[in-house]
Amino acid sequence: MSRPLFLVDALPEGDELLLDGPEGRHAATVQRIGAGEELLLADGRGGTAEAVVTAAGKNALTLRIQSRAYEPAPDPRLVVVQGIAKGDRGELAVQAMTEVGVDEIVPWAAARSVARWRAERGGKARDRWVATAREAAKQSRRAWCPAIGGDPDESTAVVAGRLGRAAAALVLHEEAAAPLATVALPARGDVVLVVGPEGGIAPEEVAAFEKAGATAVRLGPTVLRTSTAGVAALSVLSARLGRWGST
């Protein structure tokens, strides 16, 4: 069984760390990790450490750092603009995309988004995405936690601006002619991929994105749900960019 990973605000400069708070409570009480067991620490910004438990309390663990490492930020970066979906579909998308290696997720208030993030509700919904990404990063043993970028619900105009600045801008669309498997990809910079909500991307949105320089692409002959389209596309991109082995 692989060693569990716990996120900390910062890795210690010395050789010892008291893992307390929510992470320490989860490690000591829920996972029942005891003295002599090994675990991983990460700061969510590339820094990692291997540690062994020297003492276990009720809600905290005392750790001795055994080794440290740093994983550089991926380049190109994979950024997904995710149309806001109703229910838990957005959180399902965030979880799965984090597990396969997305670097940033941007919530998008698409024309056909049923759910709307406004005022306090929007802040709480965005916080759920942040928490979901954090837990998925821990589960998948990631050194980097993906950022949940932008405002609680970025507009189509703001998304178009982001696409215009990207090294590669792609829009998943079932009627696109270009396959994602063969579209040109950059060696560096942001690869920004737009995924629509349940009702898909409206024609005027596709037009705005293409005017900004984006290319409409398709995965295959079938239409995927908003909660699975992004993770499928990221799998293709990760393989093509060499993140999952040589191309």
Side-chain angles (χ1 to χ4, degrees):
M1 182 177 178
S2 59
R3 292 167 293 179
L5 182 143
F6 297 92
L7 288 170
V8 294
D9 292 335
L11 295 174
E13 296 183 1
D15 294 332
E16 288 193 351
L17 172 71
L18 178 66
L19 184 65
D20 54 5
E23 292 288 83
R25 185 162 52 252
H26 184 79
T29 305
V30 179
Q31 296 200 15
R32 298 182 181 277
I33 296 174
E37 295 188 64
E38 297 181 345
L39 52 79
L40 302 174
L41 299 172
D43 61 11
R45 302 177 298 278
T48 60
E50 297 179 339
V52 62
V53 180
T54 57
K58 183 178 180 181
N59 294 309
L61 300 176
T62 302
L63 309 176
R64 184 176 70 249
I65 306 300
Q66 297 180 304
S67 65
R68 304 168 189 270
Y70 178 78
E71 181 179 309
D75 191 16
R77 294 175 72 244
L78 295 177
V79 180
V80 173
V81 176
Q82 175 68 49
I84 295 172
K86 64 182 179 181
D88 64 353
R89 291 179 182 175
E91 290 167 47
L92 290 172
V94 170
Q95 177 182 347
M97 290 191 295
T98 299
E99 291 175 2
V100 299
V102 72
D103 298 304
E104 182 178 359
I105 304 170
V106 179
W108 167 42
R112 295 176 177 173
S113 288
V114 176
R116 294 291 170 179
W117 290 6
R118 293 190 176 96
E120 184 179 356
R121 177 184 179 185
K124 289 181 178 179
R126 185 182 183 278
D127 288 346
R128 287 195 296 272
W129 281 29
V130 172
T132 298
R134 178 183 174 88
E135 291 305 309
K138 289 169 55 178
Q139 186 277 328
S140 52
R141 313 296 193 267
R142 287 191 57 174
W144 285 88
C145 271
I148 304 299
D151 295 325
D153 55 348
E154 291 213 339
S155 67
T156 296
V158 173
V159 171
R162 183 184 286 260
L163 293 173
R165 297 187 299 271
L170 309 170
V171 180
L172 278 185
H173 198 277
E174 66 272 16
E175 296 179 1
L180 180 60
T182 59
V183 71
L185 297 176
R188 296 184 180 279
D190 284 0
V191 177
V192 182
L193 174 77
V194 179
V195 179
E198 301 97 319
I201 303 176
E204 60 271 21
E205 292 171 327
V206 176
F209 295 156
E210 289 181 331
K211 184 178 180 180
T215 300
V217 295
R218 59 178 171 81
L219 280 167
T222 59
V223 178
L224 302 183
R225 292 180 181 271
T226 186
S227 56
T228 55
V231 68
L234 286 168
S235 300
V236 174
L237 292 171
S238 294
R240 293 193 57 202
L241 292 171
R243 289 194 178 194
W244 289 1
S246 60
T247 55

